[in-house]
Amino acid sequence: MASAHESIFSYGISRPYPFKWLTPVVLAGFLVATVLFSFLNFVSNGYDLVVQTSSDPNTTISKGIWFKNWPSFLTSKVKPSCQSVDIYVNTPLFTNQTALTYTLTDVWQASTGAGNRTILPSLTYFNNIIEQCAVNSIQVDLEALDRSANQLAYSEWGASVRAYMSCTIEAATGQTRFNLTTTYDYVPDTVAFSKVYRFLGTNFLSRDVENRASLYWGESLMSMYWAYLTRSMQDIRLNVTASGMAGIRKGTISFTRNNNLLSDITDLDFFEVDYRFIVDQGLGNFDIIHPGLYNQSFSVANLNGINAYPNIWIQADSLVKSTYSTILIDLGQVSSMPNILTNSDTLQYFTSNFSRALQHIANAAPGPALQDYDTLGTTTGPLGVIPSVITANYICQIPQLKPGGSLFLAVLVADLVFLQAIWNIFTLATGWLFLRKQPTANQCQGCISLTSRYRKPLPGLPTTYPKARTNSSSRLI
């Protein structure tokens, strides 16, 4: 009889395991593995990272998926992240207090090389708290006919208040220092003529009487003393020219902290002043008023005491102190004291003459508060300062759940791959262990019975029995 053809393909001989407990254990293990793999595959494949912008990256990152802190090989697609921003020199910016607008003028880091600093073209920023701010100086520029006709409709004189500050942030690359400037002009050249006699609300981006009461009062102080100062300059020039004398055309006053670092901001010596005023004598002739005319006096108290011309020193000092305090609140400097806007008694001191100031303003109506703090304090929120950050838009990647169909297919495919791998491992391991105890376990039961009963070849069967080939995908079950 011709031998049977043997293909290169084969089928496995299967026999049930002789253990009653095996079937429920395998089924239970299969169910547990399916649930476990489905969850793990949902974690690792159920989300896509999408790009969004955020103004608060810390909150955006903290609101990620609850399992975002698991090992990265499982959660690489569910970990939200945000990129830092580069704020270049000469870029306008503002803080999360949304009050004044600043301009970044310098950025540097301390170094050990020549010059002891490394100049940087931009401030690399990631929602860092602004720290260690110092107001280096504040300058008040006064001018009259050089302003636009639109501005003259509000006030014959104008005042431009410019402040210079230095601050610090702690970044991943170390401590970074930077300089800022800000300019306050209650009647800028962009103001609409239609708003004359009304509160302008210029220079401040927003106001919140309940949650940012200190800034609310800071804006009120700045606009009130701006209007009071400019009208006082107008009255002084009018009185001088009425007497046949030449009037001041423009001037500037620079305020810096006194070296004694006085802790009482109501003290008239809190700032030292330097100043120049130009008196137009006509026909191209000008006189200059400077400290040398008053025995080099740089004290507001002394200048006011001798009635030094032009005697607007108290109004200018109050405007600068209001600006100084407002800037420190806006930059979130909790520990910078003294500050008008964090102490109710000091605030009352500077608002107590609002009624007098309102009698000496032109057409630029100040605001929003027009009465003293004792009168209106109960209608506003509490005074205080909170840390500030620079407002910026950050590009973030946040996890987003896949659509239902895509999610089901992704989890199903991944489950099948894992389950097949587990099944192959199971069959290989159990087959190897079982064959060690029963070498004939991979032969058919009939062949084993016949061989052991007759101990000789049966008619029509080959004299030797080849070892049964097994298929690892269906062995022994």
Side-chain angles (χ1 to χ4, degrees):
M1 183 176 180
S3 61
H5 172 73
E6 291 187 358
S7 173
I8 61 174
F9 302 105
S10 63
Y11 59 91
I13 296 176
S14 63
R15 294 176 59 187
Y17 287 104
F19 309 114
K20 292 183 178 180
W21 53 266
L22 186 62
T23 299
V25 169
V26 171
L27 292 177
F30 175 80
L31 180 60
V32 172
T34 300
V35 173
L36 177 62
F37 289 145
S38 296
F39 176 72
L40 293 178
N41 290 324
F42 170 77
V43 170
S44 59
N45 299 311
Y47 291 83
D48 289 323
L49 288 177
V50 297
V51 176
Q52 289 188 2
T53 59
S54 172
S55 60
D56 188 354
N58 295 338
T59 301
T60 299
I61 292 175
S62 65
K63 288 184 177 180
I65 307 303
W66 62 271
F67 47 79
K68 64 179 182 296
N69 293 323
W70 286 21
S72 58
F73 67 89
L74 287 175
T75 59
S76 60
K77 292 185 177 181
V78 298
K79 288 186 175 180
S81 62
C82 296
Q83 298 179 358
S84 59
V85 297
D86 287 326
I87 306 174
Y88 291 92
V89 171
N90 294 327
T91 298
L93 56 89
F94 57 90
T95 72
N96 57 322
Q97 311 297 339
T98 60
L100 298 170
T101 301
Y102 305 87
T103 299
L104 180 67
T105 58
D106 301 282
V107 183
W108 73 93
Q109 286 184 322
S111 63
T112 57
N116 296 325
R117 63 167 58 182
T118 300
I119 305 300
L120 302 176
S122 63
L123 177 65
T124 301
Y125 189 75
F126 190 81
N127 218 41
N128 312 91
I129 293 177
I130 304 172
E131 301 176 308
Q132 302 177 27
C133 286
V135 180
N136 301 319
S137 66
I138 301 178
Q139 179 177 312
V140 181
D141 293 322
L142 297 158
E143 58 182 6
L145 297 179
D146 295 314
R147 291 164 68 84
S148 68
N150 192 39
Q151 293 171 296
L152 291 175
Y154 289 86
S155 176
E156 293 183 12
W157 275 84
S160 178
V161 184
R162 179 179 291 269
Y164 302 84
M165 295 75 66
S166 297
C167 298
T168 300
I169 60 168
E170 295 289 343
T173 57
Q175 188 179 84
T176 302
R177 297 281 296 172
F178 57 96
N179 289 336
L180 300 171
T181 63
T182 186
T183 301
Y184 176 85
D185 188 345
Y186 186 59
V187 183
D189 56 4
T190 57
V191 68
F193 183 81
S194 59
K195 290 187 176 182
V196 69
Y197 305 116
R198 292 187 291 173
F199 169 59
L200 300 178
T202 52
N203 299 279
F204 281 72
L205 298 175
S206 69
R207 57 194 57 85
D208 188 336
V209 67
E210 290 293 335
N211 300 314
R212 293 193 291 271
S214 289
L215 288 172
Y216 174 86
W217 283 105
E219 181 181 13
S220 302
L221 285 169
M222 291 175 68
S223 64
M224 183 67 73
Y225 283 112
W226 187 97
Y228 191 12
L229 171 63
T230 54
R231 177 57 188 266
S232 296
M233 283 296 299
Q234 179 178 327
D235 293 341
I236 289 172
R237 188 178 64 172
L238 178 62
N239 293 335
V240 169
T241 55
S243 301
M245 299 174 60
I248 294 175
R249 178 167 181 174
K250 63 172 57 179
T252 184
I253 312 174
S254 178
F255 292 77
T256 56
R257 281 292 303 269
N258 193 306
N259 291 332
N260 295 330
L261 297 177
L262 298 173
S263 59
D264 184 6
I265 199 171
T266 64
D267 195 313
L268 292 179
D269 288 327
F270 186 80
F271 285 112
E272 290 184 347
V273 297
D274 197 356
Y275 48 91
R276 299 293 186 275
F277 289 92
I278 298 176
V279 180
D280 188 356
Q281 299 290 356
L283 301 177
N285 296 318
F286 299 92
D287 289 337
I288 297 179
I289 300 174
H290 55 88
L293 298 178
Y294 305 111
N295 297 321
Q296 301 296 332
S297 177
F298 299 99
S299 166
V300 171
N302 290 341
L303 292 168
N304 182 68
I306 64 175
N307 196 24
Y309 178 72
N311 194 5
I312 41 80
W313 310 109
I314 299 296
Q315 296 91 319
D317 181 71
S318 298
L319 173 59
V320 168
K321 288 176 178 177
S322 301
T323 304
Y324 173 88
S325 298
T326 302
I327 289 172
L328 292 178
I329 295 292
D330 193 22
L331 295 178
Q333 301 308 292
V334 178
S335 60
S336 293
M337 296 296 170
N339 192 307
I340 296 173
L341 303 173
T342 58
N343 185 286
S344 58
D345 293 334
T346 307
L347 181 55
Q348 172 59 26
Y349 175 85
F350 280 93
T351 58
S352 60
N353 62 344
F354 269 15
S355 57
R356 173 180 172 81
L358 287 171
Q359 298 174 8
H360 295 83
I361 63 173
N363 300 332
L370 300 177
Q371 294 177 287
D372 62 276
Y373 180 73
D374 283 350
T375 302
L376 298 179
T378 56
T379 65
T380 67
L383 301 178
V385 54
I386 59 175
S388 296
V389 297
I390 298 173
T391 298
N393 277 329
Y394 301 86
I395 298 177
C396 300
Q397 287 186 312
I398 62 172
Q400 185 178 75
L401 190 65
K402 291 181 177 179
S406 299
L407 176 62
F408 174 77
L409 184 61
V411 173
L412 176 62
V413 171
D415 281 356
L416 291 177
V417 172
F418 280 111
L419 290 175
Q420 184 181 25
I422 291 295
W423 177 250
N424 289 335
I425 294 172
F426 169 77
T427 55
L428 288 173
T430 54
W432 178 77
L433 291 172
F434 203 59
L435 285 173
R436 289 185 63 188
K437 295 182 178 181
Q438 298 187 25
T440 60
N442 64 340
Q443 299 178 15
C444 68
Q445 187 65 38
C447 296
I448 296 174
S449 300
L450 290 174
T451 301
S452 61
R453 180 181 298 179
Y454 297 106
R455 301 291 182 181
K456 62 181 180 179
L458 295 177
L461 293 176
T463 57
T464 61
Y465 293 92
K467 188 175 181 179
R469 297 177 181 174
T470 60
N471 188 332
S472 62
S473 64
S474 59
R475 179 182 296 175
L476 302 177
I477 192 166

